[in-house]
Amino acid sequence: MPLGQVVTLSELCAHLHVPIQTLYDLRSQGRGPRGFRVGRELRFRAGEIEAWLANLEAEDAQRHRPDAEAG
């Protein structure tokens, strides 16, 4: 059973250059990456992070389409 790469909350925050509270806030709003706890710390599969980031990019592109601004 392949496990894939797993990233801690601290590692993800360092990579994204955001405070830990930012990801806690996003997750509490239902807008953060799916994760799971191992002991007390959240962990995230690399594939879940990639999917979450792709979704954020798509949402941002949708908001900033030239025809969306004309509405």
Side-chain angles (χ1 to χ4, degrees):
M1 171 177 81
L3 295 177
Q5 183 178 2
V6 175
V7 178
T8 66
L9 177 65
S10 302
E11 291 168 338
L12 179 56
C13 289
H15 180 73
L16 296 175
H17 305 287
V18 298
I20 288 175
Q21 189 62 47
T22 297
L23 282 180
Y24 278 131
D25 291 345
L26 287 170
R27 284 175 48 84
S28 71
Q29 298 166 9
R31 298 180 52 227
R34 289 186 352 174
F36 56 96
R37 288 197 180 274
V38 176
R40 295 182 58 145
E41 185 154 15
L42 278 168
R43 314 261 180 190
F44 305 91
R45 291 194 184 278
E48 289 293 335
I49 295 168
E50 291 297 327
W52 172 65
L53 290 173
N55 188 49
L56 288 179
E57 289 173 342
E59 288 175 358
D60 192 58
Q62 185 70 23
R63 276 194 302 273
H64 297 290
R65 282 190 357 228
D67 58 329
E69 293 175 8

